[in-house]
Amino acid sequence: MDSSEFRECAMATIDLIIDYLENIRNRNVLPSVEPGYLMKMLPEDAPEEPENWKTVLKDFNETVMPGITNWHSPQFHAYYPTGSSYASIIGSLLSDGIGVIGLTWMASPACTELEVITMNWLGKLLGLPEEFLNCSAGPGGGIIQGSASEATLVALLAAKDKMIRKLKQIDPDLNEDVAKAKLVAYTSDQCNSSVEKAGVLGSIKMRLLKSDQNGKLRGETLKRAFEEDTAQGLIPCYVVANLGTTGICSFDPLNELGPICQKYNAWLHVDAAYAGVAFICPEYRYLMKGVEYADSFDVNAHKWLLVNFDCSAMWVKDGYDLINAFDVQRIYLEDVNATVQIPDYRHWQMSLGRRFRSLKLWTVLKVHGAEGLRSYIRNQISLVQHFAKLVDSDERFIVEPEPCMGLACFRFRGGDKITKELLKSLTEKKKVFMVGCTYRSRYVIRFVICSRFTTKEDIETSWNIIKEEADQVCPTNISAKSQSISTLDHLETLTINEKSK
Amino acid sequence: MDSSEFRECAMATIDLIIDYLENIRNRNVLPSVEPGYLMKMLPEDAPEEPENWKTVLKDFNETVMPGITNWHSPQFHAYYPTGSSYASIIGSLLSDGIGVIGLTWMASPACTELEVITMNWLGKLLGLPEEFLNCSAGPGGGIIQGSASEATLVALLAAKDKMIRKLKQIDPDLNEDVAKAKLVAYTSDQCNSSVEKAGVLGSIKMRLLKSDQNGKLRGETLKRAFEEDTAQGLIPCYVVANLGTTGICSFDPLNELGPICQKYNAWLHVDAAYAGVAFICPEYRYLMKGVEYADSFDVNAHKWLLVNFDCSAMWVKDGYDLINAFDVQRIYLEDVNATVQIPDYRHWQMSLGRRFRSLKLWTVLKVHGAEGLRSYIRNQISLVQHFAKLVDSDERFIVEPEPCMGLACFRFRGGDKITKELLKSLTEKKKVFMVGCTYRSRYVIRFVICSRFTTKEDIETSWNIIKEEADQVCPTNISAKSQSISTLDHLETLTINEKSK
């Protein structure tokens, strides 16, 4: 493919993308394919001879496209959003076109420096304490990781290393292996699977502590766990607090957890993968009260900030904690230019190689501007409020817990069985995509505003599809019968709620 | 940015990329900026108001571009290549445009299935044993990881988990922590820094065993290390063999290492990050003789196969080894469609989220065709042979070891000091970029064919720049004087070489 074919092909690809995104409402959110569909369509071997780009795009449309789940459809309400915007695609295109690897500063100065700068920009927009910023006097700073999973594991490994070094200072004869086996990590039972996995990968016992009735890990619970473990000779090492849990978007109180971590010298990592982006709006910062206790903080710009995956923004208070844990030198990687202000990012992450990912963060921040991004977040939150009102107006349903950020959960008053049935039929019809979770031992359906294209009308479309299916699963007369049960349920819930206060 | 602005901006970006790549010879390979240059040019805060895309591209050209190290310049001979091609940029653009996340099969069937298919295609092109392929009857298969570092760590963690499970079968009362502390990993002292780092990250002692005079880890050496360690009650668990070391591109003999690993039930991982791509040409497959002993095999399609970073192709003989090590379930990730033939790739990797990376592998394989890729590799190898001849014709220099794949190493006969001086002055002049390494305790300069644009004329340009600088550092008369020394050196080297046989 020469440059003129590339130009032609790129133009056709851009048109394909625009056509796909701008007309995404014409597609079902879920594809109609069976497992193995593509194996049946594509040859068993790579082509021997080069193919024309027109064949490639044709094959893409005819074979790949039918197997796409449309994450940017306004009827995609599953998981959490994955970021996408025209600005981000441009940033990514620039990164691929220039095609550098940021092994060291010298391997591409702009790659290192733009990451420092954009991470300072974003950190300030979020209202993070200055200590986390590279532009502060101290050793703090930001880095782009590939995912929140990666950030959680990076922080965990740094925490282990730091704790072992601390213990060795106290006792130089310490048996490291024995000490490592005593380290314990903690998070809530509401954590994302990646937090639990970080414990598995990082060879550390990860205790999933019981959250309260509102899905929050409370200070009392953490304190008790620390006390139990230290009484048994174990060593609290690492705590992951969740700001915006995956299930119901609950927020752990950092101002309760922080002082306890500080007292025990345990590393406090904040996983704000989805909801953290909302802190660009000052009115939501109360939800991160106590963030000054954290050692590391992570938010996925690739979830709710219009940046395409992957761009997980992580800040640490002390970059040396990462460097001490990860630095492995080689003669061919010598670079005399590294300082904490101009970091050698390979020592801040697990892999050696790294893409020029800050370009897409940069293009998004510039093209949308801080004000544009704040409006975007506020609008998405208002949309979910609108949805919650619609659900609430239908006496068959109950919305709980309170909608938070871009998420509302709801269920039939009539119980788990029909709620599950509703979700199953909706998924089979492929017009709306949601997933379930449990809240206070009940099955609820999660409804998340995911697409950046979503309007009030789209919400009403989704709601109408849901309601229509609900009419099949739970006609009004059944609902009336079950309402008496649900009133009791509701009372019981309130009682438990009162108790937990 | 609406769709019409996006179209305009994307066209301008495509033109910018074409202009950059097609005229890359007009630029110095290394940029002329000082550390901190970009911090001085860019504002301290993100813009409040949205900026026009023309401003963004203007800023890119004026501020980012001056700080780029030009990896695709034909005068870039440092490290190893990073893949880039127009076909790959199209694949990446499609991936960003569609913007799906492959959490589960259902989260985008095509994302999972195209990865299975393209990894089968590539595995067959490389001539890997069928057991590694997903299309075989067994539990093997391929997955795209982000980097060779990641693949090495993934395999290490799976190896640890597998060994502990095996030990627990023998002794159900086994203390896991005690057992884990006894596990040992092995590689050669020529390994990439990422292999050593995998040991650090995976909390396992990684022994860097002495390679022979040719930079190979020999079976005898591994056997001795296993015997020493088992005699001390330690447990050999994981071995990383290098096919194409970073320093001098040496190949560990898998047919020597394999049977020893098999005897001790240790996991054999093959790191063929750079050179493995050459196995698409059958004439190089003798270098992976014994690959049937391997448990996992990794090659970076993003290095030498024209695919943009990141696309590290990893195969395992038994996918369950990964699933057993990494599976952490959640209700919102339920997917009834997963089988080993249609894998849930999140259990084959460290992170939960994943991009649609197989698209770029697919576009590259289709646009270039297997035959096109083989010609590409063969041509790059012939170019380095040409370079070696040029160096060889200059009596001041010695080429050693023998050039291998796209790498030639050379040094002044006059000794390390002037060789280092030459590299330093060349780097300062910014017209050719190479890095150094050590070979048989001597400092050598590595010269790698990195850019896909490189022609015979480009090689001559690079050589002329080097020779011109050499005339400053080591005029011919000094060289003549030092030649007598170097003849001795050479004899000594030969002697050692003979001994090591």
Side-chain angles (χ1 to χ4, degrees):
Chain A
M1 186 183 264
D2 66 18
S3 64
S4 70
E5 286 171 307
F6 172 58
R7 186 180 283 111
E8 274 185 84
C9 177
M11 284 171 65
T13 306
I14 295 293
D15 282 336
L16 184 159
I17 292 170
I18 291 173
D19 178 62
Y20 171 72
L21 291 174
E22 298 295 324
N23 300 305
I24 202 157
R25 289 182 184 82
N26 300 341
R27 295 170 187 266
N28 278 346
V29 59
L30 285 168
S32 297
V33 297
E34 295 297 315
Y37 91 98
L38 197 54
M39 281 83 166
K40 288 180 197 135
M41 295 179 92
L42 296 188
E44 286 180 11
D45 294 278
E48 268 300 302
E49 300 296 323
E51 290 179 7
N52 184 282
W53 66 263
K54 285 181 187 165
T55 311
V56 178
L57 290 194
K58 187 170 169 281
D59 287 357
F60 177 81
N61 274 319
E62 293 176 1
T63 66
V64 177
M65 215 54 146
I68 292 292
T69 297
N70 301 297
W71 283 65
H72 306 291
S73 158
Q75 268 71 55
F76 184 102
H77 303 293
Y79 319 120
Y80 275 130
T82 186
S84 163
S85 64
Y86 290 135
S88 172
I89 296 173
I90 294 295
S92 196
L93 189 53
L94 284 169
S95 169
D96 275 333
I98 303 306
V100 299
I101 302 293
L103 293 173
T104 59
W105 178 85
M106 198 174 175
S108 233
C111 182
T112 297
E113 297 197 16
L114 193 66
E115 189 157 330
V116 170
I117 293 164
T118 52
M119 287 298 288
N120 284 336
W121 284 8
L122 183 56
K124 287 182 191 175
L125 283 186
L126 294 168
L128 288 184
E130 211 191 51
E131 296 161 89
F132 286 104
L133 305 183
N134 176 290
C135 51
S136 71
I143 174 175
I144 298 174
Q145 305 281 0
S147 64
S149 320
E150 220 173 288
T152 306
L153 180 55
V154 161
L156 180 148
L157 294 169
K160 272 180 77 173
D161 178 76
K162 189 176 187 173
M163 183 59 83
I164 294 295
R165 277 185 291 113
K166 195 172 289 167
L167 295 172
K168 281 205 101 164
Q169 273 179 351
I170 301 166
D171 171 15
D173 299 327
L174 182 86
N175 179 323
E176 278 194 34
D177 294 321
V178 173
K180 273 182 192 166
K182 288 183 184 163
L183 302 181
V184 187
Y186 308 81
T187 190
S188 98
D189 54 12
Q190 298 296 311
C191 76
N192 185 273
S193 63
S194 61
V195 178
E196 196 178 342
K197 192 165 173 178
V200 174
L201 299 173
S203 258
I204 186 167
K205 186 185 172 191
M206 176 74 71
R207 287 187 62 181
L208 306 189
L209 304 176
K210 200 166 157 45
S211 56
D212 72 5
Q213 280 287 316
N214 300 309
K216 295 169 188 289
L217 173 60
R218 306 304 299 264
E220 255 315 305
T221 311
L222 184 68
K223 190 167 164 264
R224 211 161 37 238
F226 276 17
E227 285 166 357
E228 282 162 16
D229 287 345
T230 46
Q232 286 184 50
L234 301 175
I235 305 161
C237 171
Y238 182 59
V239 175
V240 180
N242 307 279
L243 295 190
T245 56
T246 309
I248 60 161
C249 201
S250 57
F251 288 73
D252 295 335
L254 299 182
N255 54 347
E256 292 182 17
L257 306 177
I260 302 162
C261 293
Q262 198 174 48
K263 188 180 159 196
Y264 284 81
N265 276 316
W267 182 297
L268 178 59
H269 175 70
V270 177
D271 179 6
Y274 160 70
V277 165
F279 303 142
I280 64 172
C281 305
E283 65 270 30
Y284 294 111
R285 291 194 191 143
Y286 74 95
L287 289 165
M288 64 165 170
K289 205 178 152 192
V291 68
E292 64 279 6
Y293 289 106
D295 295 279
S296 50
F297 183 96
D298 185 72
V299 57
N300 284 339
H302 66 240
K303 274 201 168 71
W304 208 16
L305 198 71
L306 299 173
V307 181
N308 276 65
F309 191 91
D310 51 347
C311 184
S312 189
M314 180 193 197
W315 290 266
V316 290
K317 254 190 202 155
D318 189 346
Y320 288 111
D321 290 337
L322 304 182
I323 296 170
N324 287 331
F326 301 151
D327 185 359
V328 171
Q329 277 297 355
R330 277 298 187 283
I331 184 172
Y332 49 81
L333 292 173
E334 268 177 10
D335 190 341
V336 292
N337 301 294
T339 62
V340 171
Q341 258 56 47
I342 313 284
D344 245 354
Y345 274 130
R346 71 180 188 281
H347 304 314
W348 290 50
Q349 65 175 17
M350 293 193 289
S351 288
L352 174 58
R354 55 202 329 272
R355 288 202 325 291
F356 199 162
R357 292 183 284 210
S358 61
L359 273 172
K360 51 189 175 181
L361 182 54
W362 186 65
T363 50
V364 166
L365 291 172
K366 279 169 84 77
V367 167
H368 290 269
E371 215 27 79
L373 294 169
R374 285 186 209 109
S375 310
Y376 175 71
I377 294 297
R378 286 173 183 143
N379 181 52
Q380 294 246 314
I381 295 174
S382 79
L383 288 171
V384 97
Q385 298 290 342
H386 182 59
F387 176 78
K389 256 181 228 156
L390 293 170
V391 181
D392 217 40
S393 70
D394 188 320
E395 55 177 18
R396 292 171 295 181
F397 289 105
I398 187 162
V399 175
E400 70 172 15
E402 276 292 298
C404 180
M405 298 297 163
L407 168 75
C409 298
F410 65 101
R411 62 177 175 90
F412 271 126
R413 291 179 187 272
D416 286 1
K417 196 165 158 272
I418 52 170
T419 305
K420 275 184 193 168
E421 207 178 314
L422 174 65
L423 183 60
K424 192 164 168 277
S425 341
L426 281 166
T427 307
E428 278 164 9
K429 297 265 166 72
K430 303 175 191 306
K431 290 189 182 303
V432 167
F433 186 27
M434 301 176 291
V435 292
C437 82
T438 50
Y439 171 66
R440 299 191 182 174
S441 312
R442 287 210 183 75
Y443 191 85
V444 295
I445 301 176
R446 298 169 72 262
F447 179 97
V448 191
I449 309 292
C450 289
S451 166
R452 69 181 170 98
F453 298 111
T454 315
T455 62
K456 216 169 153 183
E457 292 68 43
D458 290 315
I459 294 300
E460 282 159 15
T461 303
S462 290
W463 168 240
N464 288 331
I465 297 168
I466 294 168
K467 209 169 55 172
E468 212 171 284
E469 202 59 40
D471 291 342
Q472 302 297 316
V473 176
C474 174
T476 325
N477 55 335
I478 297 184
S479 146
K481 217 173 68 187
S482 61
Q483 209 183 337
S484 55
I485 305 166
S486 71
T487 311
L488 279 174
D489 282 0
H490 191 61
L491 280 172
E492 179 203 19
T493 306
L494 276 173
T495 317
I496 293 167
N497 208 352
E498 283 305 309
K499 276 184 199 154
S500 77
K501 270 180 191 163
Chain B
M1 187 184 264
D2 65 19
S3 64
S4 70
E5 285 169 309
F6 171 59
R7 185 180 284 110
E8 275 185 83
C9 177
M11 290 303 109
T13 305
I14 295 294
D15 283 336
L16 184 159
I17 291 170
I18 292 173
D19 178 63
Y20 171 72
L21 291 174
E22 299 294 325
N23 300 304
I24 202 157
R25 290 182 184 81
N26 300 341
R27 296 170 186 266
N28 279 346
V29 59
L30 286 169
S32 297
V33 297
E34 295 296 316
Y37 90 98
L38 196 55
M39 281 83 162
K40 286 180 198 135
M41 293 179 94
L42 296 188
E44 286 180 11
D45 293 278
E48 268 299 303
E49 299 297 322
E51 290 179 6
N52 186 281
W53 65 263
K54 287 182 185 165
T55 312
V56 176
L57 290 194
K58 187 170 170 279
D59 286 358
F60 177 80
N61 275 319
E62 292 176 1
T63 65
V64 176
M65 215 54 147
I68 293 292
T69 297
N70 300 298
W71 282 65
H72 306 291
S73 159
Q75 269 70 55
F76 185 101
H77 304 292
Y79 319 121
Y80 275 131
T82 185
S84 164
S85 65
Y86 289 135
S88 172
I89 296 173
I90 295 295
S92 195
L93 189 53
L94 285 169
S95 169
D96 275 333
I98 304 303
V100 299
I101 302 293
L103 291 175
T104 60
W105 178 84
M106 198 174 175
S108 233
C111 182
T112 297
E113 298 197 15
L114 193 67
E115 189 157 331
V116 170
I117 294 164
T118 51
M119 288 298 289
N120 283 336
W121 285 7
L122 182 56
K124 287 183 193 176
L125 283 185
L126 294 168
L128 287 184
E130 212 192 50
E131 296 161 270
F132 286 105
L133 305 183
N134 177 288
C135 51
S136 72
I143 175 176
I144 298 174
Q145 304 281 359
S147 63
S149 321
E150 222 173 285
T152 307
L153 180 55
V154 162
L156 180 147
L157 294 171
K160 272 180 76 171
D161 178 74
K162 189 177 187 172
M163 182 59 84
I164 293 295
R165 275 185 294 116
K166 195 171 289 168
L167 296 173
K168 282 204 100 164
Q169 273 178 351
I170 301 166
D171 172 14
D173 298 329
L174 181 88
N175 180 324
E176 279 194 33
D177 294 321
V178 173
K180 273 182 192 166
K182 287 182 184 163
L183 303 182
V184 188
Y186 308 81
T187 190
S188 97
D189 54 11
Q190 298 295 313
C191 75
N192 185 273
S193 64
S194 61
V195 179
E196 194 178 343
K197 193 166 174 178
V200 173
L201 299 173
S203 257
I204 186 166
K205 187 185 171 193
M206 176 73 72
R207 285 187 62 184
L208 305 190
L209 304 177
K210 201 165 156 45
S211 56
D212 73 5
Q213 279 288 315
N214 300 310
K216 294 170 189 293
L217 172 61
R218 305 305 298 263
E220 256 316 306
T221 312
L222 184 69
K223 190 167 165 264
R224 212 162 35 240
F226 276 18
E227 285 166 358
E228 283 163 16
D229 286 346
T230 46
Q232 285 184 52
L234 301 175
I235 305 162
C237 171
Y238 182 60
V239 175
V240 180
N242 307 279
L243 294 190
T245 56
T246 310
I248 60 161
C249 201
S250 56
F251 288 72
D252 294 336
L254 298 182
N255 54 347
E256 292 183 17
L257 305 178
I260 302 163
C261 292
Q262 199 174 47
K263 188 180 159 195
Y264 284 82
N265 277 315
W267 182 298
L268 178 60
H269 175 70
V270 177
D271 179 6
Y274 160 69
V277 166
F279 302 142
I280 64 171
C281 306
E283 65 270 31
Y284 294 110
R285 289 193 193 145
Y286 74 94
L287 289 166
M288 64 165 170
K289 208 179 150 190
V291 68
E292 64 278 8
Y293 289 106
D295 295 281
S296 50
F297 182 96
D298 185 73
V299 56
N300 285 338
H302 66 240
K303 274 200 168 72
W304 209 15
L305 198 71
L306 299 173
V307 182
N308 277 65
F309 192 91
D310 50 346
C311 185
S312 189
M314 179 191 197
W315 290 265
V316 290
K317 256 193 202 152
D318 189 347
Y320 289 112
D321 289 337
L322 304 182
I323 295 170
N324 287 331
F326 300 152
D327 184 0
V328 171
Q329 277 296 355
R330 277 299 188 281
I331 184 171
Y332 49 82
L333 293 173
E334 267 176 12
D335 190 342
V336 292
N337 302 293
T339 62
V340 171
Q341 258 56 44
I342 314 283
D344 245 355
Y345 275 131
R346 69 180 190 281
H347 304 314
W348 291 49
Q349 65 173 18
M350 292 192 290
S351 286
L352 175 57
R354 54 201 331 271
R355 287 203 325 291
F356 200 162
R357 291 183 285 209
S358 60
L359 274 172
K360 51 188 177 182
L361 181 56
W362 186 67
T363 50
V364 166
L365 291 173
K366 279 168 86 75
V367 167
H368 291 269
E371 216 25 79
L373 294 168
R374 287 187 207 106
S375 312
Y376 175 71
I377 294 297
R378 287 173 182 142
N379 181 52
Q380 294 246 314
I381 294 173
S382 78
L383 288 171
V384 96
Q385 297 291 343
H386 182 60
F387 176 78
K389 256 181 228 157
L390 293 170
V391 181
D392 217 39
S393 69
D394 187 318
E395 57 176 18
R396 293 170 294 182
F397 289 106
I398 187 162
V399 176
E400 71 171 17
E402 278 291 299
C404 181
M405 298 297 163
L407 168 75
C409 298
F410 65 100
R411 62 178 176 89
F412 271 126
R413 292 180 187 273
D416 286 0
K417 195 164 160 271
I418 54 170
T419 305
K420 274 186 193 169
E421 206 176 314
L422 173 65
L423 183 62
K424 191 162 171 279
S425 336
L426 281 165
T427 308
E428 280 166 8
K429 298 264 164 75
K430 303 176 193 304
K431 289 190 184 298
V432 168
F433 185 28
M434 301 175 291
V435 293
C437 81
T438 50
Y439 172 65
R440 300 191 181 174
S441 311
R442 287 209 184 77
Y443 191 85
V444 296
I445 301 178
R446 297 170 73 261
F447 180 97
V448 191
I449 309 292
C450 289
S451 167
R452 70 181 168 97
F453 299 111
T454 315
T455 62
K456 216 169 153 183
E457 292 67 45
D458 290 316
I459 295 299
E460 282 157 15
T461 304
S462 289
W463 167 240
N464 288 332
I465 297 168
I466 294 168
K467 208 168 55 171
E468 211 172 283
E469 202 58 42
D471 291 342
Q472 301 298 315
V473 175
C474 173
T476 324
N477 55 335
I478 296 185
S479 146
K481 218 171 68 186
S482 61
Q483 209 183 335
S484 55
I485 304 167
S486 71
T487 311
L488 279 174
D489 282 359
H490 192 58
L491 280 173
E492 178 201 20
T493 304
L494 278 173
T495 317
I496 293 169
N497 211 352
E498 285 304 307
K499 276 184 200 155
S500 75
K501 272 180 190 164

